[in-house]
Every structure is written in structure tokens, then in C-alpha cells.
Amino acid sequence: MSNLNKDTAELTIDGKVFTLPVVEGSMGERALDISKLLQETGYITLDTGYKNTGSCVSTITYLDGNKGILRYRGYDIEDLAANCSFVEVAYLLLHGRLPNEIELESFKGLIERFALIHEDMIHFFDHFPSHTSPMSILSVMVNSLCHYYPEMSDDPLDDFEVTSTRLISKIRTIAAFSYKKSMGHPLVYPRSDLSYCGNFLNMMFDKPVKPYVVRPEVVAALNKLLILHADHEQNCSTSTVRLVGSAGVNLYAAISTGINALWGPLHGGANEAVIEMLETIYADDCNFEKYINKAKDKNDPFRLSGFGHRVYRTYDPRGKIIKKACDEILNVLEISDPLLDLAHTLEEIVLRDEYFIERHLFPNVDFYSGIIYRALGIPTNMFTVMFALGRLPGWIAQWKEMREDPSTRIGRPRQVYAGETARKFVPLDERS
Ligand code: ACO
């Protein structure tokens, strides 16, 4: 943090001037500190959807939506995606710096050690209806972990190393087991000789009748996707984790709510929605015009999934990397997916269209990621689970930052009440 109290701003209400401190971040962004506004002026601020509200001061992720910059702990996302493993990036997010070789080995060792889930939890999978969304299963299972691994109940930060690696490791096992159960296939247990991503792929796709061959290119593609999803400052699910966490719940409970928030089609669920949308357009003779017009029609709830973002006013930097990775992996695997051609054409049309240009709507992280997941053999209903696997270290790092910050209070927004004024109570037998 460079300077937290550089300047002040003045606010005039009913002719009276109030002074607001200006908070400046290390990259020069400036914010008005309104924390004493109500006390001093009797006013609150109103900002539905928090379009203009900073909820915390954070040192984890920086993004510039106008320039298309995204950095974790100061490192450009392009460098991390090109050079790191997902586990290395998870360490970076959690600890604030890249690990040296010894630290990385020890961190990996913990992840490896915690890969199994308690055998009793495996019975849970048998009792979900067969059509249950894997996101719902993931959220329930993660929430339940606190009963099997309750160390965090007293001082969560004491057990942070163990609990965070346990969660990062087990979420992957839970995700793969839920897929195997949904397919009616025998479970494949984690192996200590495989990398984080290799292990996940093996647990997903290995079968007694057909052993899975872990291909380095596939591992590399998955690794990249997880890194690109690992954090994105105060988005909907992360803010949910922080808000719920501010009430003092255990880490597992807080992460479970983040998974639920991510599930939404306007958030992480968009990667699934993109594929469904592309399939619909494909089945409709590639009638792009029809769907673009639907997206522009204010009376039609349809939106082009995978386009637009609350903070980016330019191409999502993650989207750029994923688009390139998508072309590469399909090439390596010699897969010709008509949805990829369709996505390229749709993107070209959208980027030329006045409606989208005026509103700064560009492809976001979800537009091409689903096509890569399809190429890796991951079913559409698991796409958002993949997003959750990637986002987990970010959620944990944000939760930790919130818990360590002595200024943290329980999150409790205000409102402007616009309902009925005081009414006289009418007993039931006198109501018309
Ligand atoms: N298709 C058509 N129009 C759109 C789209 C879209 N995908 N996205 C935004 N718009 C339009 C809106 O209708 C609005 O138009 P108006 O000004 O004429 O009313 C304008 O662009 C601004 O949109 P808002 O909804 O105000 O933008 P907001 O920041 O609230 O929403 C969001 C951002 C939710 C991502 C939105 O762009 C959207 O719904 N996109 C599709 C879903 C999606 O891809 N979500 C994934 C986001 S990335 C992530 O969460 C991981």
C-alpha cells in the first residue's frame, strides 16, 4: 500500500462542508473513505450492485479494466500462465510471494498428503438425485468437510497451512468423484506420482477397462485454465466468501457459499451457458443475426453469454490467453470442433457491431474456456466446477486477508427503505 491518506475531498450537504479522507492504492487508484459519513452527516451512500463501491483494501490482485491488465501479487497474468504451475500460483496467492523450490515441494507434499476424502463422505454421493448439479454437490461436500476436519473451529489462522492445502487438495477429489458417481463408474483414487492437474484428469477419466494416459499437453492446458481463474479481486463469489466469512464462519462454510455464488449464469455458470448458446446457434443453421438481435432486444432476457464484464471495458486479458490456448490444444489433439469455428465467427460479428462496441462488450474469460474443456473430455455440467477448482486459492487468500485485517467488521450494508410508512395493525377477522 503506498499511501492510505494522501488527500481529502469535500462534500457539501445543505450548505455544510464535510471532509472525506482520500485513500490511494499502490497503483494510484483513489477512493473516498465514507466510513464515517452516516455518523457525521446522517447520510448513507446508495450503489445497487456495488458498481462503485470498494469493499476492502486488498494486496492480492490488481486489475485495470480499461487497459486489460490483471496481476496476482504484482505478477502479470501472462507471465504466470506461461511459466508457472497452478500449485505455484496457489502458493503465491496464499503467501504473497512465489515459493522457492523447497517451499514448493513442501506445499505440494501437503496437497498430496490430503488428497483422500474420508471414506464416510463417499456415501454422500449415493443420496443425491441422479440429476443433481455437480456445483450443488461440491458446495454441500465442501461445507461438510468442517465436520470431518474440524481443526479450524478455534483459531482458523493457526491451522491455515493445513486447512488451505487440505481444501485445495480435497476439492479436486470431490469434483472427480462426483463425476464418476454421476456416470456410475468406480471411483479412481488419487495417486501421489501425478501432478495436481494430472491427478485430477486421471481421477476423472481412468477406467479399469481403459487406463487413462495423462498427456502433458492436456495437463498444461488445464494448468493454464486454472491459473487464469485463480483470483479476480472482489467479484460476486469472492465478495460472498468475504461477507459470509466476516460473520466468523469456518473457512469451509465460507468457501461453500462462494461456490454457490459462482454457480450463477451471470458469473461462473457462464462457461456452461456459452456452450449451450453455441450449440443452439449451431442447431439453428448458424443464424447469427437472430441471436444477436435477441441479445440486443431489451424485451428479450437473452444475452450473449461469454460477452461483457462488470470491470473490463476492453478484451478480458484472460480471454486473450484462453483463445490462443484453445486454438493450440485443439490442434495438438487433432480435434475439429465446429463450435470453435462458430465462436470465432460470432466474436468477429460482435466486435464489429455498434451495439456491442458502444457498450464495450468483449469476450470474457468464459467465452473460449468451455471449448477447451470439451476438448479435454470434461462434460458441460462440470465446467463451473472447473472454475471453482481454479478460483479456490483466490477465495482462500481473500478470506485470510479479511480475517487477518484488524479493521474487519461483520459485513453489513445499509439500505434506503421505500416501503409502507407506519400502518395501523388490523386483526385477521377485520381484514377485507
Ligand atoms: N449481451 C447483450 N447485452 C449485454 C451483455 C451481453 N452479454 N452484457 C451486457 N449487455 C448490455 C446490457 O443490456 C446493458 O445495456 P443497456 O446499457 O442498454 O441497458 C449494458 O450492456 C451494460 O450491461 P450491465 O448488465 O449493466 O453490465 P453489468 O456490469 O451489470 O453486467 C455481466 C456484467 C453480468 C457480465 C453482463 O455483461 C452479462 O450478463 N454477460 C453475459 C454473462 C457472462 O458472460 N457472464 C460471465 C462474466 S465473467 C465472470 O463472472 C467470470
Side-chain angles (χ1 to χ4, degrees), residues 407-431:
S407 72
T408 294
R409 300 283 179 277
I410 186 167
R412 203 320 186 167
R414 309 292 293 219
Q415 64 164 14
V416 174
Y417 175 71
E420 296 287 348
T421 52
R423 293 202 273 186
K424 188 173 175 319
F425 179 75
V426 183
L428 182 58
D429 57 358
E430 290 173 27
R431 288 176 217 157

Side-chain angles (χ1 to χ4, degrees), residues 51 266-267 270 298 303-304 306-308 310 355 359 364:
K51 285 196 164 192
L266 296 185
H267 192 16
K298 293 291 158 217
R303 282 188 168 195
L304 284 187
F307 285 90
R310 170 60 62 82
Y355 172 96
R359 289 168 181 76
N364 59 46

Side-chain angles (χ1 to χ4, degrees), residues 170-389:
K170 291 192 193 311
I171 197 173
R172 166 191 65 167
T173 311
I174 293 170
F177 281 13
S178 83
Y179 170 67
K180 282 293 193 197
K181 281 282 180 183
S182 74
M183 298 296 287
H185 291 169
L187 300 181
V188 175
Y189 283 79
R191 275 174 32 191
S192 56
D193 60 320
L194 294 174
S195 67
Y196 186 87
C197 291
N199 226 327
F200 173 74
L201 291 163
N202 191 62
M203 283 193 275
M204 285 283 287
F205 301 121
D206 189 53
K207 293 187 197 133
V209 285
K210 193 167 181 249
Y212 179 72
V213 179
V214 181
R215 290 184 62 171
E217 306 92 332
V218 172
V219 169
L222 180 57
N223 197 55
K224 193 169 277 187
L225 280 174
L226 296 188
I227 290 173
L228 294 172
H229 286 86
D231 196 48
H232 210 239
E233 49 118 301
Q234 307 313 318
N235 56 83
C236 178
S237 54
T238 302
S239 298
T240 303
V241 169
R242 276 185 178 257
L243 183 65
V244 173
S246 77
V249 300
N250 65 69
L251 177 60
Y252 302 113
I255 297 297
S256 166
T257 62
I259 294 170
N260 287 329
L262 190 73
W263 192 0
L266 296 185
H267 192 16
N271 55 13
E272 212 175 307
V274 167
I275 294 297
E276 281 157 12
M277 175 189 78
L278 294 176
E279 281 172 343
T280 306
I281 300 176
Y282 188 70
D284 204 356
D285 293 330
C286 297
N287 190 344
F288 293 104
E289 201 184 339
K290 174 175 163 187
Y291 291 92
I292 294 213
N293 288 338
K294 270 167 77 63
K296 294 182 194 173
D297 182 353
K298 293 291 158 217
N299 298 316
D300 189 330
F302 177 81
R303 282 188 168 195
L304 284 187
S305 291
F307 285 90
H309 197 277
R310 170 60 62 82
V311 286
Y312 290 118
R313 292 291 167 260
T314 181
Y315 214 114
D316 183 332
R318 302 164 301 173
K320 263 190 205 163
I321 303 172
I322 291 181
K323 182 179 177 186
K324 190 161 167 269
C326 184
D327 290 337
E328 283 166 7
I329 190 72
L330 266 71
N331 228 341
V332 169
L333 299 178
E334 296 178 0
I335 292 174
S336 159
D337 186 343
L339 293 195
L340 178 61
D341 299 334
L342 197 143
H344 281 313
T345 312
L346 182 61
E347 181 190 340
E348 276 169 31
I349 298 173
V350 166
L351 294 182
R352 284 198 310 262
D353 190 297
E354 264 318 302
Y355 172 96
F356 294 93
I357 295 171
E358 271 170 20
R359 289 168 181 76
H360 307 284
L361 301 171
F362 292 85
N364 59 46
V365 66
D366 289 319
F367 191 57
Y368 285 101
S369 62
I371 299 174
I372 302 189
Y373 286 134
R374 264 161 73 91
L376 305 191
I378 291 166
T380 312
N381 71 350
M382 286 286 290
F383 288 1
T384 316
V385 169
M386 302 308 299
F387 195 151
L389 255 60

Side-chain angles (χ1 to χ4, degrees), residues 36 43 56 189 404 415:
K36 297 211 167 64
Y43 282 72
C56 59
Y189 283 79
E404 284 176 340
Q415 64 164 14

